[in-house]
Amino acid sequence: MGASPWREPEHDELAELVRAFFTKEVRPHADRVLAQGHPDREHYRKAGDLGLLGLSVPVEYGGGGGNFTHEAVLLDEQMRSGDSSLGLAVHSGIVTGYLVAYGTEEQKQRWLPGLCAGTLIGAIAMTEPDGGSDLQAMRTRALREGDDYVINGAKTFISNGGLADIVILAAKTDPTQRASGVSLLICEVSDPGKAGAETHESGSVREDDATRHGPTGFRRGRLLSKIGLKGNDTAELFFDDFRVPATNLLGGTEGLGFAQLMGQLPQERLVIGIGAVAAMERAIELTVAYVKERTAFGKPLIGHQNTRMVLAECATRTRVSRVFLDDCIAEHVRGELDVATAAMAKYWLTDGQCEVVDRCLQLFGGYGYTTEYPIAQMYADARAQKIYGGTNEIMKELIARAL
Ligand SMILES: Cc1cc2nc3c(=O)[nH]c(=O)nc-3n(C[C@H](O)[C@H](O)[C@H](O)COP(=O)(O)OP(=O)(O)OC[C@H]3O[C@@H](n4cnc5c(N)ncnc54)[C@H](O)[C@@H]3O)c2cc1C
């Protein structure tokens, strides 16, 4: 990342802090976290204590007062550390972004400090069991009754959904409309007795019951069993006459939700691209080290022409990806990243991640298929990148529309 043109000495200092946080606080618990299927709450709080959450949130709301480049350093270093349990991309890279961009002054003051301190965990819920790509067809309803909205519906695949205290929920406030009927509501869904959940050591949110009940009208499904990203709590959320005060409508005006989503999705897609490029770089680093050690037919693997060709191709794809990503980051900081370019970044960088990680895994031979080697986890984790944040097929639709 040293070559990134937007990088200043302060980014290097931040990177060092993030690296130390993951090395000392998070990675030593990796096996337990993978087994329990979600990160520890404590890890969010420690990240908050170090000032790593809400790096681009203005200081008056408890944030770091930086910009998107600081978020980029955080996410890049997390990927390099090998952790995919803490949902920082969503919590810090996405949820706080919605509040900063669209929240009323009262909403910002109410939730941003907790999100930046890591005492509140954030999630965003768009996808429903019946469909994620066609967002305008969502079925979840939030209908106004007096001073409240009454929410009914279900969301699924929600990252951080097992632990989340704050969910930015996409719902129809006018079910007769498609895009213009969508609004975003901030749902406070901390489990009663959250204090207990914060302190008990296993911190497990897996329970024998199929669901856990939160405040009245809200419950979480079991954590979804996935092929990768096993340390992150991806969950279904159910709303059954769940009431939120009308003051929780993001931005305070109904019907703006779809436009708000469209406004923030380029950042969400760039966040995914940052993870993709960091993963490619890490995969190459791990593989180069391995092929220098391992021998076959009397010489190190790196001495075989195929190994050299594969790594040269992967390194080239990765370098080109880094340059494109850096360009997108710079455009985004200037407020100029358009929907089509963000879609190109998301699709091309995640396709590249899957390709590079797969080819690197091959160079590990049988060991690459065992969980002893991090390349195996990287392979399983990478696959989701082509799906969430809008599938890569939808990205191509968006690109084609702009042609
Ligand atoms: C690990 C993980 C974490 C996630 N986290 C979140 C989260 O935090 N919040 C959230 O809201 N969602 C989240 N998602 C959901 C994700 O965004 C959706 O899975 C995704 O948008 C696709 O929706 P779907 O699964 O309903 O697939 P569908 O929409 O049913 O699509 C199925 C297939 O059809 C294709 N397809 C659909 N429409 C078209 C079209 N018009 N043209 C061409 N092909 C098409 C798709 O590309 C896909 O290949 C997460 C998913 C995963 C796996």
Side-chain angles (χ1 to χ4, degrees), residues 127-171:
T127 308
E128 302 190 347
D130 288 335
S133 299
D134 185 5
L135 275 181
Q136 296 184 24
M138 69 180 64
R139 294 184 177 184
T140 300
R141 307 269 186 266
L143 301 179
R144 183 84 186 242
E145 264 187 35
D147 290 338
D148 292 341
Y149 283 97
V150 180
I151 301 172
N152 282 287
K155 296 286 176 180
T156 193
F157 302 122
I158 306 310
S159 302
N160 304 349
L163 290 175
D165 303 296
I166 300 289
V167 176
I168 297 185
L169 177 84

Side-chain angles (χ1 to χ4, degrees), residues 64-386:
N67 63 25
F68 187 71
T69 60
H70 301 94
E71 305 287 1
V73 169
L74 173 77
L75 300 173
D76 183 274
E77 286 297 334
Q78 178 179 14
M79 179 61 84
R80 275 167 212 285
S81 80
D83 176 66
S84 52
S85 69
L86 273 179
L88 299 186
V90 168
H91 174 91
S92 225
I94 297 170
V95 171
T96 60
Y98 276 90
L99 280 163
V100 170
Y102 308 119
T104 62
E105 187 54 34
E106 189 210 329
Q107 291 170 346
K108 289 179 191 179
Q109 286 184 12
R110 178 142 177 219
W111 291 300
L112 283 170
L115 290 165
C116 294
T119 50
L120 295 177
I121 297 172
I124 178 151
M126 297 174 258
T127 308
E128 302 190 347
D130 288 335
S133 299
D134 185 5
L135 275 181
Q136 296 184 24
M138 69 180 64
R139 294 184 177 184
T140 300
R141 307 269 186 266
L143 301 179
R144 183 84 186 242
E145 264 187 35
D147 290 338
D148 292 341
Y149 283 97
V150 180
I151 301 172
N152 282 287
K155 296 286 176 180
T156 193
F157 302 122
I158 306 310
S159 302
N160 304 349
L163 290 175
D165 303 296
I166 300 289
V167 176
I168 297 185
L169 177 84
K172 285 270 172 84
T173 41
D174 182 353
T176 65
Q177 301 298 314
R178 276 179 62 88
S180 61
V182 176
S183 299
L184 301 182
L185 293 116
I186 301 156
C187 300
E188 294 174 291
V189 295
S190 298
D191 291 344
K194 176 184 141 198
E198 281 171 348
T199 49
H200 77 125
E201 255 318 293
S202 83
S204 181
V205 297
R206 284 183 191 278
E207 292 191 355
D208 291 341
D209 298 342
T211 57
R212 284 183 307 130
H213 290 265
T216 307
F218 173 78
R219 71 199 153 87
R220 302 172 207 254
R222 267 196 189 149
L223 300 184
L224 300 179
S225 168
K226 313 186 290 296
I227 60 171
L229 300 174
K230 287 177 179 285
N232 184 258
D233 43 316
T234 313
E236 264 186 306
L237 307 178
F238 302 97
F239 300 85
D240 187 9
D241 285 338
F242 179 67
R243 283 181 176 266
V244 299
T247 48
N248 287 27
L249 180 69
L250 185 68
T253 308
E254 269 188 23
L256 297 183
F258 202 74
Q260 291 168 337
L261 288 171
M262 294 305 112
Q264 289 298 299
L265 280 171
Q267 172 154 322
E268 177 169 348
R269 289 169 184 154
L270 204 46
V271 158
I272 294 170
I274 289 164
V277 175
M280 285 188 244
E281 290 173 348
R282 177 167 187 250
I284 290 173
E285 225 174 276
L286 294 171
T287 311
V288 167
Y290 183 78
V291 297
K292 284 182 176 171
E293 288 293 317
R294 176 92 173 162
T295 57
F297 296 94
K299 57 181 175 183
L301 291 176
I302 187 92
H304 294 279
Q305 193 187 36
N306 179 65
T307 309
R308 302 169 70 77
M309 297 282 164
V310 167
L311 282 172
E313 287 167 14
C314 288
T316 307
R317 171 110 203 218
T318 301
R319 182 79 193 101
V320 175
S321 299
R322 166 62 68 193
V323 173
F324 178 41
L325 174 68
D326 279 338
D327 192 55
C328 290
I329 290 174
E331 276 191 20
H332 185 50
V333 171
R334 292 197 302 271
E336 292 169 7
L337 183 70
D338 61 60
V339 168
T341 310
M344 287 176 189
K346 197 272 172 180
Y347 131 65
W348 197 73
L349 299 175
T350 59
D351 263 17
Q353 175 185 3
C354 288
E355 184 191 316
V356 166
V357 172
D358 180 42
R359 298 185 80 190
C360 284
L361 185 150
Q362 185 72 12
L363 295 178
F364 280 77
Y367 293 106
Y369 199 65
T370 69
T371 52
E372 293 296 302
Y373 284 79
I375 196 76
Q377 188 188 324
M378 292 180 73
Y379 177 81
D381 286 355
R383 193 60 185 82
Q385 291 261 88
K386 297 205 277 191

